Amino acid sequence: MSGAESFVPTPLMLSDGARARLAALIEEQGNPRLKLRVYVTGGGCSGFQYGFDFAEETAEDDTLVEFGSVALVVDPLSYQYLVGSTVDYEEGLAGARFLVQNPNATTTCGCGASFMV
């Protein structure tokens, strides 16, 4: 790397399990334009909570992170809380869900759906 180049951290990573599940959901819907929107909202038992939704369109100020045939979309407000995080997918006794492994969170709740920075 030369001195003129700068390193920009990847805002979000997507685990292999999450990639596979997202690809399967896109195929089930028959819509290759679908992307997984990851966002942070106020609330939850620890101050902030994660949310997931599907999006076909992205806003001009969204960050799009592509992983081959699948992609994540993050709005500018949520971006600051998610830099360096990994979106994962798990199936267990409590059901199946996408979740965020966030190294920026100082406290998380028992269910892992909310956090504090």
Side-chain angles (χ1 to χ4, degrees):
M1 182 183 295
S2 71
E5 296 172 337
S6 63
F7 175 74
V8 177
T10 301
L12 279 171
M13 294 305 297
L14 191 60
S15 74
D16 290 342
R19 287 180 200 203
R21 183 61 185 144
L22 184 53
L25 289 169
I26 290 168
E27 189 173 325
E28 285 173 21
Q29 294 295 316
N31 186 352
R33 294 180 46 214
L34 283 181
K35 299 160 190 62
L36 183 63
R37 179 173 292 280
V38 184
Y39 58 91
V40 173
T41 59
C45 49
S46 293
F48 295 100
Q49 59 189 0
Y50 302 110
F52 299 94
D53 198 2
F54 284 105
E56 283 188 33
E57 304 297 325
T58 56
E60 189 174 306
D61 58 354
D62 281 341
T63 297
L64 178 67
V65 186
E66 295 179 301
F67 301 92
S69 64
V70 298
L72 298 176
V73 179
V74 183
D75 65 85
L77 184 63
S78 299
Y79 180 92
Q80 63 188 325
Y81 297 108
L82 294 169
V83 170
S85 297
T86 299
V87 174
D88 198 1
Y89 179 77
E90 72 174 11
E91 294 180 13
L93 295 176
R97 64 182 181 144
F98 286 101
L99 59 109
V100 175
Q101 297 169 354
N102 189 341
N104 305 308
T106 58
T107 306
T108 59
C109 67
C111 65
S114 69
F115 69 101
M116 184 181 301
V117 289

